[in-house]
Amino acid sequence: MEQRISHFLQKYVTEVYFPNIRITDIVEVLILTFLIYQLMIWVKNTKAWMLMKGILVLAVFILVAAIFQMHTILFLAKNAVTVMATAAVVVFQPELRRALEKLGEKSVLSSMVPFDTTRDRVRFSEDTITSIVEASYSMGSVKTGALIVVEQAIRLTEYESTGIHLDCLISKQVLEQIFEHNTPLHDGAIIVRGDRIVSATCYLPLSDNMELSKDLGTRHRAAVGMSEVSDAVIIVVSEETGAVSVAHSGKLLRDITREELRASLEQIQNRKVESGKWYSLRKGRRKNENKTVE
């Protein structure tokens, strides 16, 4: 019996390979895990998910062709890989750009980069928050449509240039006058930077998210589209219903309360707009979950 045990240990246990694990190996695994997780989240929340499904279908098709030795199909697939990769980069350029911007928004990176100018960005005052909230619900009560883009770390210069340059302090009266029907500046969006309105009648990119509710108009789709390509918070006042909604990070919270709008603006004011805190707003809205568009 002892000989059998000794033979087993010599044959199997002594030949087991135990790698020499270093601290750098553990750190490397953690970094790769984090990057792969972030990539999976990015794929899930963008049009890249549709691309991944298409790639899986093509992979199955090519596997079948390889099994049955379909040489022509294999030749075409081999030579089309480079073209398809280039086409994917072109098609998903907005998503890739947004992913790199999100990487630059991380607080860890900001603390390490000494020339990060966003740290000194002037935030808006409590009076600005009150003016935006009061004006939004005042316009909503009379069903005056409005689109207010509150800029954060990413400067919206390219969208600012599509409108009419302004430089005025925010007040309830100014906002109501801008979006009043039949006034020269009522069409389009305004961009808010700090305590000032920097541009009006701005054109925003429309979202092509097919999961958005069909009853949403151009104003809401523009708000979601802007939130997909920047870190801005966009406030929408519906011209049809008077409801106030907020878009951020590709998500749209519809028909929010006055307190919820103030809370979202106060988070920006305190430089604490993070995904977890943004979603905490949504957790308190279970009763209206059927109105939430993702």
Side-chain angles (χ1 to χ4, degrees):
M1 183 65 179
E2 294 180 357
Q3 292 179 351
R4 291 183 179 180
I5 295 176
S6 177
H7 178 71
F8 175 82
L9 293 176
Q10 291 178 357
K11 183 176 181 180
Y12 296 102
V13 177
T14 58
E15 296 181 0
V16 175
Y17 172 70
F18 293 98
N20 183 21
I21 301 177
R22 302 170 298 171
I23 298 297
T24 54
D25 296 328
I26 298 175
V27 173
E28 185 177 12
V29 170
L30 293 176
I31 292 174
L32 289 174
T33 303
F34 174 77
L35 292 176
I36 292 173
Y37 173 76
Q38 292 295 327
L39 178 63
M40 293 172 63
I41 294 296
W42 175 74
V43 168
K44 180 181 177 182
N45 294 331
T46 64
K47 294 182 295 183
W49 175 240
M50 301 300 295
L51 175 64
M52 290 298 296
K53 291 194 290 187
I55 291 175
L56 289 176
V57 172
L58 285 176
V60 172
F61 181 73
I62 293 173
L63 179 61
V64 172
I67 292 174
F68 292 98
Q69 295 296 309
M70 301 178 181
H71 300 290
T72 304
I73 294 178
L74 293 175
F75 174 79
L76 293 174
K78 179 180 179 180
N79 289 274
V81 170
T82 304
V83 177
M84 292 175 62
T86 305
V89 171
V90 173
V91 171
F92 291 95
Q93 182 270 338
E95 283 75 16
L96 292 172
R97 172 183 172 182
R98 179 61 184 141
L100 292 174
E101 289 173 347
K102 289 294 290 183
L103 182 62
E105 293 170 20
K106 300 298 181 182
S107 58
V108 175
L109 184 63
S110 299
S111 62
M112 295 172 58
V113 182
F115 50 82
D116 185 7
T117 58
T118 61
R119 187 177 305 173
D120 300 325
R121 187 70 53 81
V122 177
R123 314 307 291 185
F124 46 80
S125 64
E126 188 67 27
D127 290 340
T128 295
I129 294 178
T130 301
S131 297
I132 293 176
V133 173
E134 294 300 323
S136 297
Y137 286 91
S138 175
M139 291 185 289
S141 64
V142 294
K143 296 185 177 180
T144 298
L147 192 55
I148 303 171
V149 180
V150 181
E151 183 182 86
Q152 294 195 70
I154 300 176
R155 292 187 72 92
L156 307 176
T157 307
E158 59 181 301
Y159 302 102
E160 176 186 342
S161 62
T162 64
I164 298 175
H165 177 70
L166 298 178
D167 184 20
C168 62
L169 285 171
I170 296 175
S171 67
K172 176 176 179 290
Q173 294 75 15
V174 168
L175 291 173
E176 291 177 344
Q177 183 60 39
I178 288 176
F179 291 108
E180 181 64 32
H181 292 291
N182 301 322
T183 57
L185 301 179
H186 85 281
D187 193 20
I190 67 169
I191 295 178
V192 174
R193 180 177 301 141
D195 288 323
R196 310 188 75 83
I197 301 173
V198 296
S199 189
T201 69
C202 299
Y203 294 99
L204 306 183
L206 297 180
S207 174
D208 55 2
N209 185 353
M210 301 302 294
E211 296 181 4
L212 289 176
S213 176
K214 300 301 181 183
D215 62 348
L216 293 178
T218 304
R219 188 176 283 112
H220 289 80
R221 290 187 174 275
V224 176
M226 189 64 178
S227 71
E228 291 173 343
V229 299
S230 72
D231 64 343
V233 171
I234 301 92
I235 303 166
V236 190
V237 181
S238 174
E239 191 172 353
E240 289 74 23
T241 65
V244 178
S245 304
V246 175
H248 181 259
S249 297
K251 310 286 189 279
L252 179 67
L253 298 183
R254 301 177 62 183
D255 197 10
I256 65 173
T257 64
R258 187 185 299 261
E259 290 73 21
E260 289 171 330
L261 176 58
R262 176 175 288 276
S264 64
L265 292 175
E266 287 176 348
Q267 288 177 359
I268 308 172
Q269 184 187 38
N270 296 327
R271 302 190 181 195
K272 295 179 181 179
V273 179
E274 300 173 0
S275 59
K277 296 188 177 182
W278 174 258
Y279 287 119
S280 68
L281 267 178
R282 303 178 63 210
K283 291 180 180 178
R285 294 175 44 80
R286 295 298 184 187
K287 64 181 184 300
N288 293 327
E289 194 168 274
N290 60 330
K291 295 181 179 181
T292 302
V293 179
E294 298 188 355

